[in-house]
Amino acid sequence: MLIWTQPVFAADLKAQGWGLPTTVDANGMVTTLKGTGDQAGLQLALNANDLVTPPADGTLIYKGSFGYYYTGFMVQHADGLISLLYSTFEWEGTANIEVGQPVKKGKLLSTMRAGGPAQFKRLLNWDVYQLQADEFLELQKKLSHAQLNNSQMAHISETIKWLQTRKQIDIKRALGVGSFELGKDFELKKDVNAFTVQRLQNSISVPISWEYAYLMPAGEYGFKITSGNFFKTERQIKTYVSAGDALTHYVKKLSNGDFAFGTYDVTIPAVTRLARAPVAAQAIQVPVTTNIAQGPITAPLKPSDVLAVDLKAQGWGLPTSFDVNGMVTTYKGSRDHTGLHLYLNESAPVLAPADGTLIYKGSFGYYYTGFMVQHSDGLISLIYNQFEWESTANIEVGQPVKSGQLLSTMHAGGPGWNKGVLSWNVNQLNAEDLLELQKKLSHAQLNNSQTEHISETIKWLQTRKQIAIKSALQLGSFELAKDFELNKDVNVNAFTVQRIQNSIASPISWEYAYLMPAGTYTFNITSGLFFKTAHQILTFMSAGDAITHYVKKLPNGDFVFGKHDVTTSAVNSLARAPVAAQPIEVSAATNSSQDPTPAPLKPSADVVTQAPPAQIAQPSAPPQAPQSSAPPQVAQLSAPPQVTLPSAPPQVALPSAPPQVALPTTPPQVAQPLAPPQIAQASTPPQVAQPLTPQPEDDRVQKAQAEAQALREEVARQRLMLEQLTQAQKPTPIVNPPLAPTVPTRRALVIGNDNYQSVPRLLNAREDAQAMARSLSDMGFQVQLELDLRERNMRAALRQFKSRVEGGDEVIIFFAGHGVQLAGTNYLLPVDITGENEEQIRDESIQLQRILDDMTEKRAKFTLAMLDACRDNPFKGSGRSLGSRGLAPTNAATGQMVIFSAGTGQQALDKLGPNDPEKNGLFTRVFLKEMQKPGISVDRILRNVRTEVVNLAKTVGHDQVPAIYDQVVGEYFLKR
């Protein structure tokens, strides 16, 4: 699915007679993809052979490839509107309509192909753009260029990318339709099948599936939920579906086992995103039940405007203390965030960043606690942490707080956690928003379900104006990145990095980013086993920017600084090209006296970053460096005198703006015309006829000629200097490279649990996890490695990983440790599991299905879950008949693959006998070997692993058949 983020515009397509590009069912509904309610385009889930039709009259202007993964049609309509209709598969059948021919609304373009066995529906994507006259001419050129070139796929991809910068129409609102979908507010995935939901309209009951969202005309609808094994219980609600909005109704499980509608959210598209007061759903009393309280409408989790405010001038500071070196560690990879995520030590102070009033303290939702402070000018600080605080100052809500006043102290989060993340966001509210915030906070505090209501308040705040804090406090950040292959080079400390400031060397860790005041800094990298070699760079850090310096490995094994990237904040972002830093190679004997060479300094906001000028020998009076991209301007002589010499030496043409040259006092000044041509110098200066016996006047002529020649040489040298300086200061032209498919981010969560406390310990899990983490890191995955996790830490690690995953990512999850199945549900066990009874296991362990659901929720493009957890039942022999050996079959969602190290009821081997020298378990060692083979798709790797494991297990008389659950469409590769 192509997801674009350009501005979204509203148009009344319904009034112009537009419709959907397919047939609406008899109930006036069309199934669509869940979780896409805030997008301007539509993703319709259609059956095989469903019709695809033009949504309005127009002209077919393109059909064919839409890039590397899509094919489709492009139709031009009236008023500059362009429809894009595309799918990830070839079409089942296509009408015989050629490019340039007219098309009519509702007439056949093509029919859908569902996509293969067990794939009953396939997505039809529809986006609409509005072009101006000059933009439409540009589109015609691009389409002609794409069709005339052999490399059509690359050119049409470039055209699609260009279109995403044009005005996009919010289709749902333009057609007067909204969408409805169900959300899960209960724990067990299997409970999805324990109830049914129907839409009630005009005495007709229409079933609502859990799998899809439903497009329907805006209006009032009733919905009914039915549950109960023997005695059926019905509950109804009445709700309003607004044009353009996406309504999500959550289903919750009651204590008696029945199901009812709970809270609901409304996702508001960009064109209608307004501050909305909480609205209670209208409930219909049904005799068999009582009304279920409905929650308020919540706004989407999207910030609106990002503002630049000079908080530093207003006396603001950070909500903690700088260290002695003027730095604060912060979350690596959060460089483009408007808020801050500070890594603080246990018991670090948490302070008020400015004077204000404490307006809330307590829960910030289901996972966070914190403080809300109101400052002047409508500014609101949100200061929160994932864990409980170590201690909290005795300040009550409504009391004033002073800048720097202690609010609390950090709690890092448990054994092995020496730092915790303190998050800080600042929003700016107008008077109306402040009143709305007061209502929401009062509503949250008056209700028993405070967590639910404060979550709604936080979501609402995220739609208000946000402050770019780094820019506002005149701070920047610095972090290191890897430009070498082996991940072990980081772990074995093959190099060290320090910041040198005022003769003080401060170590820079690979794990963190560093927040520091804007300014010029020197960084030093030292490497070498026996003879230490140091390299230095000098760099400038602007307010709001994040500098990432890449470390590269030289052929001799030393490490130096390579290129660097500058990520600018939202308020002053510009296109910037990566720039190669200019390191100084300092030997061990001379590094103490070596002056650093400046790396490229970040220019002002209107200049594109460029490479530094080459170092040139400077005259005694060097030219002044300009402050713009134009060549240096040098004062010109208003009426330069001509040089009159005997024998008339040739005139020298100088550049338009050369630096002034300090000349000897004897020769006269040289004429410098304003716009001269290039210097034309004879290779040999003209010879002057000399008498056989020179006279005193001839001596003067020769002296004048020698001085003129010296002058010409000096001018030529200065001209060369100027050309080099001007060339170096020219802005680097921005050249758009040929469009390539977007490379998704590859992320991996790797967990290895060996040291169980109350159940048998394992021998290989940690080693398996570490080996897998190394291999995935070498393949370009951003790996989060976790070992011997207790329940609390395991849940925190999963939350942290989930927060990093973004739509379109390729994700791998590897777990080595104990796992059990209870009533067909798979659980992964933390090391502190006790398992006194099945209920305790459910409470203290992690559901595999929940992890998979999280990846679906985050819209990961591809997810591979590898579970080496099919050991023998850890509770066997303990007097407790809990769980079963191996794991139960699982339900993978579309885009997900799951592989268990053994099949249902089987035990996975750690060793092939007592003399097996391998450090890794059987499944993991085979997977590590197979994944290194390039050019083999993931599904083939899994099948190769299964075959090899089966064969090796049979050599010791053991049955072990890894179980594979595959719902992935297309091919994915670990190593190309």
Side-chain angles (χ1 to χ4, degrees), residues 491-744:
N491 300 328
V492 300
N493 296 321
F495 58 88
T496 57
V497 178
Q498 295 174 312
R499 189 196 75 174
I500 312 297
Q501 189 76 2
N502 299 326
S503 302
I504 298 175
S506 307
I508 299 295
S509 169
W510 187 269
E511 301 296 324
Y512 307 109
Y514 291 84
L515 206 61
M516 56 191 79
T520 303
Y521 294 93
T522 300
F523 294 91
N524 182 82
I525 184 170
T526 305
S527 62
L529 295 176
F530 303 103
F531 300 100
K532 297 295 184 184
T533 302
H535 292 248
Q536 287 186 357
I537 57 168
L538 181 70
T539 192
F540 182 81
M541 189 176 301
S542 292
D545 286 358
I547 295 181
T548 303
H549 255 297
Y550 290 84
V551 175
K552 65 179 181 180
K553 190 174 185 179
L554 301 181
N556 65 356
D558 288 344
F559 291 84
V560 297
F561 290 112
K563 67 179 182 179
H564 78 271
D565 291 338
V566 178
T567 302
T568 53
S569 59
V571 292
N572 62 350
S573 58
L574 291 173
R576 297 172 183 261
V579 184
Q582 305 295 319
I584 301 173
E585 298 195 4
V586 187
S587 65
T590 61
N591 58 6
S592 60
S593 61
Q594 182 68 48
D595 293 329
T597 299
L601 301 184
K602 195 190 80 59
S604 59
D606 58 346
V607 182
V608 179
T609 305
Q610 64 233 0
Q615 298 295 326
I616 326 170
Q618 300 293 327
S620 57
Q624 296 296 319
Q627 297 303 315
S628 70
S629 59
Q633 298 299 318
V634 182
Q636 303 295 318
L637 300 175
S638 58
Q642 297 291 326
V643 179
T644 305
L645 297 175
S647 72
Q651 293 289 326
V652 180
L654 297 180
S656 59
Q660 291 195 358
V661 183
L663 301 176
T665 56
T666 304
Q669 290 185 322
V670 181
Q672 301 185 9
L674 293 178
Q678 292 289 328
I679 294 180
Q681 283 200 356
S683 58
T684 306
Q687 299 294 322
V688 180
Q690 302 293 335
L692 294 176
T693 305
Q695 298 299 319
E697 185 170 341
D698 294 334
D699 292 340
R700 290 195 299 273
V701 170
Q702 289 181 354
K703 182 177 180 182
Q705 288 178 336
E707 290 173 346
Q709 179 63 23
L711 177 61
R712 285 193 295 271
E713 293 175 354
E714 175 66 15
V715 169
R717 187 177 71 83
Q718 294 289 341
R719 183 184 72 85
L720 178 61
M721 282 175 48
L722 179 63
E723 287 179 348
Q724 292 173 332
L725 181 63
T726 304
Q727 184 65 30
Q729 290 179 340
K730 285 182 180 178
T732 304
I734 300 176
V735 179
N736 293 324
L739 185 69
T742 303
V743 178

Side-chain angles (χ1 to χ4, degrees), residues 2 62-72 74 87-88 90 142-162 737-742:
L2 302 174
Y62 177 82
K63 67 176 181 179
S65 168
F66 264 46
Y68 292 89
Y69 306 109
Y70 299 91
T71 58
M74 198 179 296
S87 175
T88 52
E90 297 292 337
K142 290 180 179 291
L143 290 177
S144 299
H145 188 59
Q147 291 168 341
L148 288 174
N149 281 271
N150 293 329
S151 56
Q152 182 178 352
M153 187 173 295
H155 289 288
I156 195 63
S157 295
E158 186 272 338
T159 302
I160 299 298
K161 188 173 183 180
W162 174 81
L739 185 69
T742 303

